């Protein structure tokens, strides 16, 4: 999660998603991640208060840094944006917030050269980052 440096949760290292549902959110203009987050709010019997929806994580970080609301984006994107915006990262404690991604192929030998190069690259990243390991 990203908040402005002046947000009430700036001093917290981690929070529960339910603690944020009173805040205004800056979110994505659609996509699987945004759908997943909104489903989690629905499971809690709530609906997110969306102030604005944007097309990229950089835009979300800029708006959040300006104090327009809070955002939930991948940690890697938040870390990239942290240097150029006025945001603070706060970890979500909810189990669903840690996504496990899988890389699946039917048969490696059937991949085209570009697809094989991408597969190899992503597989190597998975070894460097346990949360990205192929299953």
């Amino acid at each position: 999660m990203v908040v402005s440096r002046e947000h009430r949760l700036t001093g917290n290292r981690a929070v529960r998603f339910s603690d944020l549902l009173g805040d205004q959110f800056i979110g994505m203009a659609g996509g699987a991640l945004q759908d997943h987050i909104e489903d989690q709010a629905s499971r809690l019997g709530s609906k997110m208060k969306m102030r604005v929806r944007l097309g990229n994580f950089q835009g979300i970080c800029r708006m959040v840094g300006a104090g327009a609301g809070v955002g939930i984006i991948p940690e890697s994107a938040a870390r990239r944006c942290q240097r150029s915006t006025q945001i603070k990262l706060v970890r979500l404690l909810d189990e669903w917030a840690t996504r496990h991604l899988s890389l699946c192929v039917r048969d490696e030998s059937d991949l085209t050269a570009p697809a094989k190069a991408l597969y190899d690259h992503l597989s190597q990243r998975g070894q460097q980052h346990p949360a990205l390991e192929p299953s």
Side-chain angles (χ1 to χ4, degrees):
M1 175 184 81
V2 290
V3 297
S4 73
R5 292 184 182 163
E6 290 80 36
H7 191 272
R8 65 183 169 80
L9 296 174
T10 297
N12 296 34
R13 291 186 58 121
V15 296
R16 296 225 169 268
F17 180 57
S18 58
D19 297 332
L20 304 172
L21 291 174
D23 284 80
Q24 294 284 321
F25 282 86
I26 311 301
M28 292 295 293
L33 176 60
Q34 189 64 41
D35 292 345
H36 179 64
I37 296 166
E38 291 180 25
D39 285 346
Q40 298 308 315
S42 181
R43 289 180 183 183
L44 293 171
S46 188
K47 187 173 181 175
M48 296 171 68
K49 298 176 186 174
M50 298 303 297
R51 174 161 283 170
V52 67
R53 294 176 186 270
L54 301 170
N56 60 59
F57 299 135
Q58 179 71 28
I60 291 172
C61 290
R62 285 186 185 139
M63 293 289 292
V64 167
V70 300
I72 298 175
I73 64 173
E75 183 178 356
S76 58
R79 290 203 183 282
R80 279 192 306 273
C81 293
Q82 194 172 19
R83 292 183 207 103
S84 62
T85 61
Q86 300 294 311
I87 62 168
K88 171 96 168 96
L89 281 66
V90 179
R91 185 167 301 281
L92 285 175
L93 293 169
D94 305 79
E95 187 177 318
W96 62 262
T98 301
R99 298 190 321 160
H100 299 279
L101 304 176
S102 299
L103 178 60
C104 304
V105 297
R106 192 171 301 195
D107 186 346
E108 272 185 70
S109 63
D110 288 341
L111 296 174
T112 63
K116 176 73 167 109
L118 176 61
Y119 176 83
D120 290 342
H121 173 75
L122 294 174
S123 296
Q124 183 179 30
R125 272 190 58 83
Q127 292 169 5
Q128 294 169 0
H129 303 282
L132 301 175
E133 283 186 20
S135 54

